[in-house]
Amino acid sequence: MSQYSVRPGPEAFLPPAAASMGNVLPDPGQAHINGRIVPEEEAFAHGARVFLSAKVPTIFPGPLVLWAWNEKAKRKATAIKHLYDTMKECAPKGATPMLIPMPDYRPKYPKINPEVEINPNHPNLTIWHNKIDACIFVGVHCHQANLSLKIIRGGTNCYTMAMCAQAGHEDACLSFRDLTVEKIMHFAEWVKKLKGSVEFNSIAQYTNGART
Amino acid sequence: MSKERIQICPEFFDIMPPEYQDLVTNATWGKEGRGWKDVGVNKELIEQHSLCAGCPESMAFRYILASLPAPEDTVMVGSTGCTSLVFPHVGVHNIHSLFGNQNAIASGLKRALMVRFPDRVKDVVVLAGDGATVDIGLDYTLQSWFRQEKFTTICFDNELYANTGGQESGLMQKGFVAKMAPVGKKFDKVRLPEIAKESGCHYIVNCTVSKPSLVEKVVRNAVLIAREIGPTYLQLYTPCILEIGKNSMEGLQEMRDSEKPGERFAYKEFMSDEAKAFLADLAEKDKAKKASAKEALAQA
Ligand SMILES: Cc1ncc(C[n+]2csc(CCOP(=O)(O)OP(=O)(O)O)c2C)c(N)n1
Ligand code: SF4
Ligand SMILES: [Mg+2]
């Protein structure tokens, strides 16, 4: 069976779960790009290139890091803010890095405000509204992240990345695992290192082609 | 139990939607003696609601959420029905159960919380419609009472299945004709408060939600008694104005009419001896506390 490639959509109303297509999660020290298992360092470099080449690279912090429920969460919040500040500093002219929270998972009726938040039950609204072409999930519980990642892949052309504190996400286009504060800072270093080496709005080069 | 537990990481405070900022700065987490008077002054634990305009369930939700003694340490269990559409707007942990299963879920949850947090008091409150409590979930409701599970069951009694368009429920009045029950109810309203007493509930109240201070009192009593002694049950009349053909502003009057002496929602209360002693002790402690606060003030 050829490997199922997890790429930006819009793929279909119901894209398959990558796991059901045979994709496996990385082992410690590894990550995946489009479902292909790679050394973690390669994914850091690739993720940084994607972010620097995007028009609207966006960080979506989830409840696990937005809420100060323990010391580790607070330290991760500081690191994520640092990553965002680094993005703003390093992004090429014309790019608009964003930081949009996912405060909780409640299906919000009658609507969410896509300008200020993202909701896992209809994440596409926020992506469409802000024209987000690359995003990174961090601090979102795995099951909610997988749900969102699939919806995004199904209905948008956004490149998705996941910084997962557990074993990673098959349904992201790129996923890290075992997230720590140090790894967030390391990703920021990669962004800094690659500043100026990536052309604005050249994301198609790094996404392995959209599925359309 | 304190406000400190519900905080946003400082780096992200400014990007959070305003309702969450308000929730951490202006809600009554950890406030002793919180109650319905906080409504309109402090941030409520309910955002909007998705009920029909003027539905008394919305008033009931607001008063109940304002009156929970420790919302930050409470988990609510809901069931399918009009109430379940409100829970997504509620700022208290909650679980949606399969229609009718709510008291079984709450039993497991309460026991698990006692194991997981042995040093912290965790309250469990079931809130479900009459169809869920008395018809499809009756077995689970009663079994949890027989087993003396320590949580509160609140039934929003609107005397029919509202969410599915008006079918007959066990709590419907005899003779009532609903949109999807055109023949009329053939038997009497099930006397669940009496059954609750026989099944071992320690505190039972049957009333309407027309008076916020009363709702506050009974919710507080029910939660505290469940915490210390055993199961408690509140049956609150929240008329479905849509199904009984009333306008949005007529819900309150409907409740007032139904709670007059001799009417089916005239205030009715039962307390076990243990519960009575517990409340008397609580009142005594409250009195002593107030007296010492007054004394301290006089000396200052
Ligand atoms: C297991 C199951 N059976 C039936 C239904 C359909 N159903 C949804 S709401 C409802 C009636 C709810 O009535 P009630 O509990 O009185 O709540 P209300 O809507 O009146 O507040 C029913 C039968 C369901 N969702 N699940
Ligand atoms: S259908 Fe009835 S109970 Fe349900 S929200 Fe409307 S008025 Fe309230
Ligand atoms: Mg009902």
Side-chain angles (χ1 to χ4, degrees), chain A residues 61 65-68 73-74 77-78 80-81 99-101 103-104 106-110 116-117, chain B residues 5-9 11-12 15-20 24 47-48 50 85 87-91:
Chain A
V65 292
L66 286 171
W67 296 94
K74 290 186 205 166
T78 310
I80 293 161
K81 185 70 192 326
L99 179 64
I100 299 181
D104 59 22
R106 300 177 289 163
K108 282 190 167 179
Y109 303 117
V116 297
E117 68 179 311
Chain B
R5 292 234 310 278
I6 301 187
Q7 286 299 334
I8 298 168
C9 287
E11 287 83 0
F12 295 136
I15 60 159
M16 280 292 235
E19 64 268 26
Y20 294 91
V24 294
E47 198 54 44
Q48 308 151 3
S50 39
L85 301 176
F87 274 109
H89 305 275
V90 166

mmCIF file of all heavy atoms in Angstrom, chain A residues 61 65-68 73-74 77-78 80-81 99-101 103-104 106-110 116-117, chain B residues 5-9 11-12 15-20 24 47-48 50 85 87-91:
data_model
loop_
_atom_site.group_PDB
_atom_site.id
_atom_site.type_symbol
_atom_site.label_atom_id
_atom_site.label_comp_id
_atom_site.label_asym_id
_atom_site.label_seq_id
_atom_site.Cartn_x
_atom_site.Cartn_y
_atom_site.Cartn_z
ATOM 1 N N PRO A 61 -2.968 28.409 20.415
ATOM 2 C CA PRO A 61 -2.780 27.788 21.733
ATOM 3 C C PRO A 61 -4.121 27.277 22.269
ATOM 4 O O PRO A 61 -5.130 27.975 22.183
ATOM 5 C CB PRO A 61 -2.227 28.926 22.592
ATOM 6 C CG PRO A 61 -2.522 30.189 21.873
ATOM 7 C CD PRO A 61 -2.880 29.882 20.461
ATOM 8 N N VAL A 65 -2.525 25.217 27.557
ATOM 9 C CA VAL A 65 -1.488 26.243 27.766
ATOM 10 C C VAL A 65 -2.070 27.646 27.990
ATOM 11 O O VAL A 65 -1.372 28.538 28.457
ATOM 12 C CB VAL A 65 -0.485 26.291 26.579
ATOM 13 C CG1 VAL A 65 0.350 25.022 26.542
ATOM 14 C CG2 VAL A 65 -1.184 26.506 25.253
ATOM 15 N N LEU A 66 -3.346 27.819 27.658
ATOM 16 C CA LEU A 66 -3.947 29.144 27.871
ATOM 17 C C LEU A 66 -4.251 29.368 29.350
ATOM 18 O O LEU A 66 -4.156 30.487 29.855
ATOM 19 C CB LEU A 66 -5.269 29.254 27.103
ATOM 20 C CG LEU A 66 -5.179 29.403 25.586
ATOM 21 C CD1 LEU A 66 -6.564 29.268 24.970
ATOM 22 C CD2 LEU A 66 -4.577 30.747 25.203
ATOM 23 N N TRP A 67 -4.665 28.285 30.005
ATOM 24 C CA TRP A 67 -5.085 28.397 31.402
ATOM 25 C C TRP A 67 -3.914 28.058 32.314
ATOM 26 O O TRP A 67 -3.207 27.077 32.093
ATOM 27 C CB TRP A 67 -6.278 27.463 31.673
ATOM 28 C CG TRP A 67 -7.474 27.862 30.869
ATOM 29 C CD1 TRP A 67 -7.833 27.376 29.651
ATOM 30 C CD2 TRP A 67 -8.441 28.861 31.199
ATOM 31 N NE1 TRP A 67 -8.977 28.007 29.199
ATOM 32 C CE2 TRP A 67 -9.378 28.917 30.128
ATOM 33 C CE3 TRP A 67 -8.636 29.709 32.290
ATOM 34 C CZ2 TRP A 67 -10.468 29.790 30.125
ATOM 35 C CZ3 TRP A 67 -9.726 30.578 32.280
ATOM 36 C CH2 TRP A 67 -10.620 30.607 31.213
ATOM 37 N N ALA A 68 -3.742 28.854 33.357
ATOM 38 C CA ALA A 68 -2.604 28.679 34.272
ATOM 39 C C ALA A 68 -2.947 27.618 35.309
ATOM 40 O O ALA A 68 -3.067 27.904 36.485
ATOM 41 C CB ALA A 68 -2.271 30.013 34.937
ATOM 42 N N ALA A 73 2.337 24.588 32.608
ATOM 43 C CA ALA A 73 1.499 25.303 31.642
ATOM 44 C C ALA A 73 1.947 26.760 31.548
ATOM 45 O O ALA A 73 2.029 27.337 30.455
ATOM 46 C CB ALA A 73 0.031 25.214 32.058
ATOM 47 N N LYS A 74 2.273 27.333 32.702
ATOM 48 C CA LYS A 74 2.699 28.743 32.697
ATOM 49 C C LYS A 74 4.007 28.905 31.931
ATOM 50 O O LYS A 74 4.186 29.870 31.181
ATOM 51 C CB LYS A 74 2.881 29.236 34.138
ATOM 52 C CG LYS A 74 1.570 29.385 34.896
ATOM 53 C CD LYS A 74 1.869 30.009 36.252
ATOM 54 C CE LYS A 74 0.791 29.645 37.246
ATOM 55 N NZ LYS A 74 1.141 29.920 38.620
ATOM 56 N N ALA A 77 3.382 28.638 28.254
ATOM 57 C CA ALA A 77 2.744 29.857 27.748
ATOM 58 C C ALA A 77 3.804 30.907 27.427
ATOM 59 O O ALA A 77 3.766 31.570 26.380
ATOM 60 C CB ALA A 77 1.746 30.390 28.770
ATOM 61 N N THR A 78 4.770 31.051 28.325
ATOM 62 C CA THR A 78 5.845 32.026 28.102
ATOM 63 C C THR A 78 6.629 31.654 26.834
ATOM 64 O O THR A 78 6.956 32.523 26.013
ATOM 65 C CB THR A 78 6.801 32.049 29.328
ATOM 66 O OG1 THR A 78 6.001 32.177 30.504
ATOM 67 C CG2 THR A 78 7.785 33.184 29.255
ATOM 68 N N ILE A 80 5.577 29.910 24.258
ATOM 69 C CA ILE A 80 4.753 30.089 23.043
ATOM 70 C C ILE A 80 4.693 31.577 22.662
ATOM 71 O O ILE A 80 4.765 31.941 21.494
ATOM 72 C CB ILE A 80 3.342 29.510 23.254
ATOM 73 C CG1 ILE A 80 3.432 27.985 23.391
ATOM 74 C CG2 ILE A 80 2.402 29.877 22.105
ATOM 75 C CD1 ILE A 80 2.233 27.341 24.030
ATOM 76 N N LYS A 81 4.594 32.409 23.677
ATOM 77 C CA LYS A 81 4.580 33.854 23.405
ATOM 78 C C LYS A 81 5.920 34.252 22.765
ATOM 79 O O LYS A 81 5.965 35.056 21.822
ATOM 80 C CB LYS A 81 4.336 34.617 24.716
ATOM 81 C CG LYS A 81 4.181 36.107 24.539
ATOM 82 C CD LYS A 81 2.868 36.433 23.846
ATOM 83 C CE LYS A 81 2.707 37.844 23.347
ATOM 84 N NZ LYS A 81 3.291 38.895 24.097
ATOM 85 N N LEU A 99 -1.879 35.051 16.549
ATOM 86 C CA LEU A 99 -1.942 34.207 17.738
ATOM 87 C C LEU A 99 -3.413 34.177 18.143
ATOM 88 O O LEU A 99 -3.956 35.187 18.600
ATOM 89 C CB LEU A 99 -1.082 34.836 18.840
ATOM 90 C CG LEU A 99 -0.985 34.158 20.196
ATOM 91 C CD1 LEU A 99 -0.333 32.794 20.095
ATOM 92 C CD2 LEU A 99 -0.170 35.037 21.163
ATOM 93 N N ILE A 100 -4.078 33.058 17.916
ATOM 94 C CA ILE A 100 -5.533 33.002 18.143
ATOM 95 C C ILE A 100 -5.851 31.861 19.109
ATOM 96 O O ILE A 100 -5.474 30.718 18.860
ATOM 97 C CB ILE A 100 -6.287 32.795 16.804
ATOM 98 C CG1 ILE A 100 -6.002 33.965 15.868
ATOM 99 C CG2 ILE A 100 -7.784 32.645 17.032
ATOM 100 C CD1 ILE A 100 -6.704 33.890 14.527
ATOM 101 N N PRO A 101 -6.529 32.156 20.204
ATOM 102 C CA PRO A 101 -6.733 31.115 21.223
ATOM 103 C C PRO A 101 -7.891 30.157 20.913
ATOM 104 O O PRO A 101 -8.850 30.532 20.246
ATOM 105 C CB PRO A 101 -7.067 31.930 22.475
ATOM 106 C CG PRO A 101 -7.743 33.157 21.951
ATOM 107 C CD PRO A 101 -7.101 33.462 20.618
ATOM 108 N N PRO A 103 -10.010 28.706 23.552
ATOM 109 C CA PRO A 103 -10.163 28.722 25.022
ATOM 110 C C PRO A 103 -10.777 27.450 25.590
ATOM 111 O O PRO A 103 -10.480 27.056 26.698
ATOM 112 C CB PRO A 103 -11.090 29.913 25.275
ATOM 113 C CG PRO A 103 -11.071 30.714 24.026
ATOM 114 C CD PRO A 103 -10.787 29.769 22.912
ATOM 115 N N ASP A 104 -11.698 26.821 24.874
ATOM 116 C CA ASP A 104 -12.268 25.554 25.332
ATOM 117 C C ASP A 104 -12.887 24.842 24.129
ATOM 118 O O ASP A 104 -12.746 25.298 23.000
ATOM 119 C CB ASP A 104 -13.273 25.750 26.477
ATOM 120 C CG ASP A 104 -14.434 26.651 26.091
ATOM 121 O OD1 ASP A 104 -14.692 26.775 24.884
ATOM 122 O OD2 ASP A 104 -15.080 27.206 26.983
ATOM 123 N N ARG A 106 -16.208 23.742 23.881
ATOM 124 C CA ARG A 106 -17.672 23.741 23.800
ATOM 125 C C ARG A 106 -18.129 24.094 22.397
ATOM 126 O O ARG A 106 -17.594 25.033 21.797
ATOM 127 C CB ARG A 106 -18.244 24.814 24.732
ATOM 128 C CG ARG A 106 -17.888 24.622 26.161
ATOM 129 C CD ARG A 106 -18.435 25.758 26.980
ATOM 130 N NE ARG A 106 -17.755 27.015 26.754
ATOM 131 C CZ ARG A 106 -18.248 28.194 27.104
ATOM 132 N NH1 ARG A 106 -19.419 28.280 27.661
ATOM 133 N NH2 ARG A 106 -17.559 29.290 26.890
ATOM 134 N N PRO A 107 -19.093 23.356 21.870
ATOM 135 C CA PRO A 107 -19.660 23.829 20.609
ATOM 136 C C PRO A 107 -20.405 25.122 20.913
ATOM 137 O O PRO A 107 -21.327 25.130 21.715
ATOM 138 C CB PRO A 107 -20.627 22.714 20.205
ATOM 139 C CG PRO A 107 -20.816 21.871 21.401
ATOM 140 C CD PRO A 107 -19.753 22.178 22.407
ATOM 141 N N LYS A 108 -19.953 26.217 20.370
ATOM 142 C CA LYS A 108 -20.553 27.492 20.747
ATOM 143 C C LYS A 108 -21.651 27.872 19.779
ATOM 144 O O LYS A 108 -21.404 27.993 18.582
ATOM 145 C CB LYS A 108 -19.491 28.581 20.762
ATOM 146 C CG LYS A 108 -18.629 28.554 21.985
ATOM 147 C CD LYS A 108 -17.807 29.814 22.002
ATOM 148 C CE LYS A 108 -17.154 30.033 23.334
ATOM 149 N NZ LYS A 108 -16.346 31.251 23.318
ATOM 150 N N TYR A 109 -22.841 28.062 20.304
ATOM 151 C CA TYR A 109 -23.963 28.500 19.482
ATOM 152 C C TYR A 109 -24.352 29.886 19.947
ATOM 153 O O TYR A 109 -24.219 30.186 21.117
ATOM 154 C CB TYR A 109 -25.157 27.557 19.658
ATOM 155 C CG TYR A 109 -24.855 26.128 19.335
ATOM 156 C CD1 TYR A 109 -24.944 25.149 20.313
ATOM 157 C CD2 TYR A 109 -24.478 25.756 18.052
ATOM 158 C CE1 TYR A 109 -24.675 23.831 20.010
ATOM 159 C CE2 TYR A 109 -24.204 24.439 17.752
ATOM 160 C CZ TYR A 109 -24.303 23.477 18.735
ATOM 161 O OH TYR A 109 -24.028 22.185 18.443
ATOM 162 N N PRO A 110 -24.910 30.729 19.147
ATOM 163 C CA PRO A 110 -25.164 30.502 17.739
ATOM 164 C C PRO A 110 -23.934 30.656 16.865
ATOM 165 O O PRO A 110 -23.917 30.224 15.731
ATOM 166 C CB PRO A 110 -26.199 31.579 17.390
ATOM 167 C CG PRO A 110 -25.930 32.669 18.369
ATOM 168 C CD PRO A 110 -25.403 32.025 19.606
ATOM 169 N N VAL A 116 -11.442 36.428 16.790
ATOM 170 C CA VAL A 116 -10.715 36.358 18.060
ATOM 171 C C VAL A 116 -10.532 34.959 18.609
ATOM 172 O O VAL A 116 -9.809 34.765 19.581
ATOM 173 C CB VAL A 116 -11.393 37.220 19.160
ATOM 174 C CG1 VAL A 116 -11.383 38.681 18.789
ATOM 175 C CG2 VAL A 116 -12.797 36.753 19.457
ATOM 176 N N GLU A 117 -11.188 33.955 18.053
ATOM 177 C CA GLU A 117 -11.001 32.613 18.617
ATOM 178 C C GLU A 117 -11.208 31.530 17.575
ATOM 179 O O GLU A 117 -11.748 31.773 16.498
ATOM 180 C CB GLU A 117 -11.936 32.385 19.808
ATOM 181 C CG GLU A 117 -13.399 32.315 19.446
ATOM 182 C CD GLU A 117 -14.299 32.060 20.652
ATOM 183 O OE1 GLU A 117 -14.013 31.143 21.429
ATOM 184 O OE2 GLU A 117 -15.294 32.798 20.793
ATOM 185 N N ARG B 5 -7.601 29.331 41.336
ATOM 186 C CA ARG B 5 -7.484 28.136 40.510
ATOM 187 C C ARG B 5 -7.922 28.381 39.079
ATOM 188 O O ARG B 5 -7.557 27.640 38.187
ATOM 189 C CB ARG B 5 -8.328 27.009 41.113
ATOM 190 C CG ARG B 5 -7.791 26.492 42.424
ATOM 191 C CD ARG B 5 -7.608 24.984 42.367
ATOM 192 N NE ARG B 5 -8.790 24.315 41.888
ATOM 193 C CZ ARG B 5 -9.838 24.012 42.630
ATOM 194 N NH1 ARG B 5 -9.846 24.338 43.899
ATOM 195 N NH2 ARG B 5 -10.868 23.382 42.124
ATOM 196 N N ILE B 6 -8.732 29.406 38.844
ATOM 197 C CA ILE B 6 -9.231 29.635 37.491
ATOM 198 C C ILE B 6 -8.610 30.925 36.961
ATOM 199 O O ILE B 6 -9.126 32.015 37.177
ATOM 200 C CB ILE B 6 -10.773 29.649 37.479
ATOM 201 C CG1 ILE B 6 -11.217 28.288 38.010
ATOM 202 C CG2 ILE B 6 -11.320 29.927 36.070
ATOM 203 C CD1 ILE B 6 -12.635 27.969 37.970
ATOM 204 N N GLN B 7 -7.459 30.752 36.331
ATOM 205 C CA GLN B 7 -6.692 31.900 35.845
ATOM 206 C C GLN B 7 -6.184 31.662 34.434
ATOM 207 O O GLN B 7 -5.897 30.527 34.058
ATOM 208 C CB GLN B 7 -5.475 32.118 36.759
ATOM 209 C CG GLN B 7 -5.805 32.722 38.116
ATOM 210 C CD GLN B 7 -6.435 34.094 38.028
ATOM 211 O OE1 GLN B 7 -6.204 34.810 37.053
ATOM 212 N NE2 GLN B 7 -7.238 34.454 39.005
ATOM 213 N N ILE B 8 -6.052 32.745 33.685
ATOM 214 C CA ILE B 8 -5.484 32.659 32.339
ATOM 215 C C ILE B 8 -3.987 32.952 32.468
ATOM 216 O O ILE B 8 -3.584 33.810 33.276
ATOM 217 C CB ILE B 8 -6.148 33.717 31.428
ATOM 218 C CG1 ILE B 8 -7.655 33.443 31.315
ATOM 219 C CG2 ILE B 8 -5.493 33.761 30.055
ATOM 220 C CD1 ILE B 8 -8.452 34.576 30.671
ATOM 221 N N CYS B 9 -3.145 32.252 31.680
ATOM 222 C CA CYS B 9 -1.715 32.578 31.701
ATOM 223 C C CYS B 9 -1.560 34.047 31.292
ATOM 224 O O CYS B 9 -2.172 34.479 30.301
ATOM 225 C CB CYS B 9 -0.943 31.688 30.720
ATOM 226 S SG CYS B 9 -0.789 30.000 31.295
ATOM 227 N N GLU B 11 0.492 35.785 29.676
ATOM 228 C CA GLU B 11 0.894 36.059 28.274
ATOM 229 C C GLU B 11 -0.311 36.070 27.333
ATOM 230 O O GLU B 11 -0.257 36.677 26.270
ATOM 231 C CB GLU B 11 1.855 34.983 27.764
ATOM 232 C CG GLU B 11 3.239 35.039 28.329
ATOM 233 C CD GLU B 11 3.316 34.347 29.685
ATOM 234 O OE1 GLU B 11 2.288 33.831 30.157
ATOM 235 O OE2 GLU B 11 4.408 34.367 30.272
ATOM 236 N N PHE B 12 -1.342 35.345 27.709
ATOM 237 C CA PHE B 12 -2.470 35.177 26.784
ATOM 238 C C PHE B 12 -3.721 35.957 27.192
ATOM 239 O O PHE B 12 -4.735 35.891 26.518
ATOM 240 C CB PHE B 12 -2.823 33.688 26.665
ATOM 241 C CG PHE B 12 -1.733 32.864 26.041
ATOM 242 C CD1 PHE B 12 -1.373 31.640 26.573
ATOM 243 C CD2 PHE B 12 -1.053 33.313 24.909
ATOM 244 C CE1 PHE B 12 -0.371 30.869 25.995
ATOM 245 C CE2 PHE B 12 -0.048 32.552 24.327
ATOM 246 C CZ PHE B 12 0.295 31.331 24.870
ATOM 247 N N ILE B 15 -5.357 38.211 24.557
ATOM 248 C CA ILE B 15 -5.916 37.652 23.316
ATOM 249 C C ILE B 15 -7.169 36.808 23.588
ATOM 250 O O ILE B 15 -7.829 36.351 22.660
ATOM 251 C CB ILE B 15 -4.894 36.796 22.527
ATOM 252 C CG1 ILE B 15 -4.397 35.607 23.375
ATOM 253 C CG2 ILE B 15 -3.758 37.633 21.996
ATOM 254 C CD1 ILE B 15 -3.818 34.484 22.534
ATOM 255 N N MET B 16 -7.494 36.584 24.845
ATOM 256 C CA MET B 16 -8.684 35.776 25.139
ATOM 257 C C MET B 16 -9.951 36.569 24.833
ATOM 258 O O MET B 16 -10.003 37.784 25.079
ATOM 259 C CB MET B 16 -8.690 35.381 26.618
ATOM 260 C CG MET B 16 -7.806 34.217 26.925
ATOM 261 S SD MET B 16 -8.397 32.680 26.203
ATOM 262 C CE MET B 16 -8.467 31.657 27.656
ATOM 263 N N PRO B 17 -10.985 35.902 24.305
ATOM 264 C CA PRO B 17 -12.248 36.606 24.082
ATOM 265 C C PRO B 17 -12.747 37.232 25.392
ATOM 266 O O PRO B 17 -12.508 36.667 26.463
ATOM 267 C CB PRO B 17 -13.196 35.491 23.622
ATOM 268 C CG PRO B 17 -12.308 34.427 23.065
ATOM 269 C CD PRO B 17 -11.040 34.498 23.879
ATOM 270 N N PRO B 18 -13.409 38.374 25.293
ATOM 271 C CA PRO B 18 -13.759 39.128 26.512
ATOM 272 C C PRO B 18 -14.570 38.336 27.538
ATOM 273 O O PRO B 18 -14.421 38.543 28.735
ATOM 274 C CB PRO B 18 -14.573 40.313 25.990
ATOM 275 C CG PRO B 18 -14.730 40.107 24.524
ATOM 276 C CD PRO B 18 -13.790 39.059 24.063
ATOM 277 N N GLU B 19 -15.398 37.380 27.061
ATOM 278 C CA GLU B 19 -16.214 36.665 28.054
ATOM 279 C C GLU B 19 -15.367 35.812 28.995
ATOM 280 O O GLU B 19 -15.727 35.581 30.135
ATOM 281 C CB GLU B 19 -17.321 35.833 27.387
ATOM 282 C CG GLU B 19 -16.873 34.707 26.493
ATOM 283 C CD GLU B 19 -16.744 35.122 25.029
ATOM 284 O OE1 GLU B 19 -16.510 36.306 24.754
ATOM 285 O OE2 GLU B 19 -16.858 34.229 24.160
ATOM 286 N N TYR B 20 -14.193 35.358 28.501
ATOM 287 C CA TYR B 20 -13.323 34.559 29.374
ATOM 288 C C TYR B 20 -12.557 35.473 30.329
ATOM 289 O O TYR B 20 -12.310 35.128 31.479
ATOM 290 C CB TYR B 20 -12.334 33.724 28.553
ATOM 291 C CG TYR B 20 -13.017 32.668 27.720
ATOM 292 C CD1 TYR B 20 -13.423 32.932 26.419
ATOM 293 C CD2 TYR B 20 -13.283 31.416 28.236
ATOM 294 C CE1 TYR B 20 -14.063 31.975 25.649
ATOM 295 C CE2 TYR B 20 -13.930 30.448 27.483
ATOM 296 C CZ TYR B 20 -14.317 30.733 26.185
ATOM 297 O OH TYR B 20 -14.957 29.788 25.438
ATOM 298 N N VAL B 24 -12.800 35.214 34.583
ATOM 299 C CA VAL B 24 -11.774 35.060 35.617
ATOM 300 C C VAL B 24 -11.673 36.286 36.529
ATOM 301 O O VAL B 24 -11.259 36.166 37.671
ATOM 302 C CB VAL B 24 -10.368 34.739 35.044
ATOM 303 C CG1 VAL B 24 -10.346 33.399 34.380
ATOM 304 C CG2 VAL B 24 -9.879 35.803 34.107
ATOM 305 N N GLU B 47 -23.385 31.938 29.594
ATOM 306 C CA GLU B 47 -23.087 32.977 28.622
ATOM 307 C C GLU B 47 -24.389 33.471 27.999
ATOM 308 O O GLU B 47 -25.014 34.372 28.470
ATOM 309 C CB GLU B 47 -22.118 32.415 27.576
ATOM 310 C CG GLU B 47 -21.397 33.466 26.774
ATOM 311 C CD GLU B 47 -20.673 34.498 27.620
ATOM 312 O OE1 GLU B 47 -20.008 34.119 28.590
ATOM 313 O OE2 GLU B 47 -20.765 35.691 27.299
ATOM 314 N N GLN B 48 -24.806 32.800 26.928
ATOM 315 C CA GLN B 48 -26.122 33.120 26.377
ATOM 316 C C GLN B 48 -26.952 31.889 26.656
ATOM 317 O O GLN B 48 -26.537 31.007 27.360
ATOM 318 C CB GLN B 48 -26.013 33.330 24.882
ATOM 319 C CG GLN B 48 -24.942 34.319 24.509
ATOM 320 C CD GLN B 48 -24.357 34.048 23.141
ATOM 321 O OE1 GLN B 48 -24.762 33.150 22.421
ATOM 322 N NE2 GLN B 48 -23.381 34.840 22.790
ATOM 323 N N SER B 50 -29.820 29.063 24.520
ATOM 324 C CA SER B 50 -30.371 28.765 23.204
ATOM 325 C C SER B 50 -31.803 28.277 23.335
ATOM 326 O O SER B 50 -32.310 27.579 22.477
ATOM 327 C CB SER B 50 -29.503 27.700 22.544
ATOM 328 O OG SER B 50 -29.104 26.765 23.529
ATOM 329 N N LEU B 85 -29.182 21.887 25.367
ATOM 330 C CA LEU B 85 -28.732 22.933 24.442
ATOM 331 C C LEU B 85 -28.121 24.107 25.188
ATOM 332 O O LEU B 85 -27.470 24.958 24.599
ATOM 333 C CB LEU B 85 -29.909 23.428 23.592
ATOM 334 C CG LEU B 85 -30.584 22.347 22.747
ATOM 335 C CD1 LEU B 85 -31.780 22.909 22.022
ATOM 336 C CD2 LEU B 85 -29.597 21.762 21.756
ATOM 337 N N PHE B 87 -26.145 23.696 28.053
ATOM 338 C CA PHE B 87 -24.862 23.363 28.678
ATOM 339 C C PHE B 87 -23.628 23.873 27.931
ATOM 340 O O PHE B 87 -22.640 24.237 28.577
ATOM 341 C CB PHE B 87 -24.771 21.868 28.975
ATOM 342 C CG PHE B 87 -25.386 21.532 30.311
ATOM 343 C CD1 PHE B 87 -26.573 20.837 30.398
ATOM 344 C CD2 PHE B 87 -24.778 21.958 31.480
ATOM 345 C CE1 PHE B 87 -27.149 20.555 31.629
ATOM 346 C CE2 PHE B 87 -25.344 21.688 32.720
ATOM 347 C CZ PHE B 87 -26.523 20.982 32.794
ATOM 348 N N PRO B 88 -23.637 23.922 26.591
ATOM 349 C CA PRO B 88 -22.451 24.494 25.940
ATOM 350 C C PRO B 88 -22.149 25.932 26.351
ATOM 351 O O PRO B 88 -21.039 26.411 26.171
ATOM 352 C CB PRO B 88 -22.794 24.425 24.446
ATOM 353 C CG PRO B 88 -23.774 23.320 24.339
ATOM 354 C CD PRO B 88 -24.567 23.346 25.619
ATOM 355 N N HIS B 89 -23.115 26.611 26.934
ATOM 356 C CA HIS B 89 -22.887 28.007 27.332
ATOM 357 C C HIS B 89 -22.542 28.140 28.813
ATOM 358 O O HIS B 89 -22.438 29.236 29.337
ATOM 359 C CB HIS B 89 -24.138 28.842 27.077
ATOM 360 C CG HIS B 89 -24.639 28.773 25.672
ATOM 361 N ND1 HIS B 89 -24.161 29.579 24.679
ATOM 362 C CD2 HIS B 89 -25.552 27.962 25.101
ATOM 363 C CE1 HIS B 89 -24.768 29.282 23.547
ATOM 364 N NE2 HIS B 89 -25.612 28.303 23.772
ATOM 365 N N VAL B 90 -22.424 27.004 29.485
ATOM 366 C CA VAL B 90 -22.277 27.037 30.932
ATOM 367 C C VAL B 90 -20.800 26.939 31.326
ATOM 368 O O VAL B 90 -20.077 26.092 30.811
ATOM 369 C CB VAL B 90 -23.109 25.881 31.555
ATOM 370 C CG1 VAL B 90 -22.725 25.655 32.995
ATOM 371 C CG2 VAL B 90 -24.595 26.207 31.454
ATOM 372 N N GLY B 91 -20.378 27.807 32.222
ATOM 373 C CA GLY B 91 -18.983 27.844 32.655
ATOM 374 C C GLY B 91 -18.719 26.968 33.872
ATOM 375 O O GLY B 91 -17.962 27.346 34.756
#
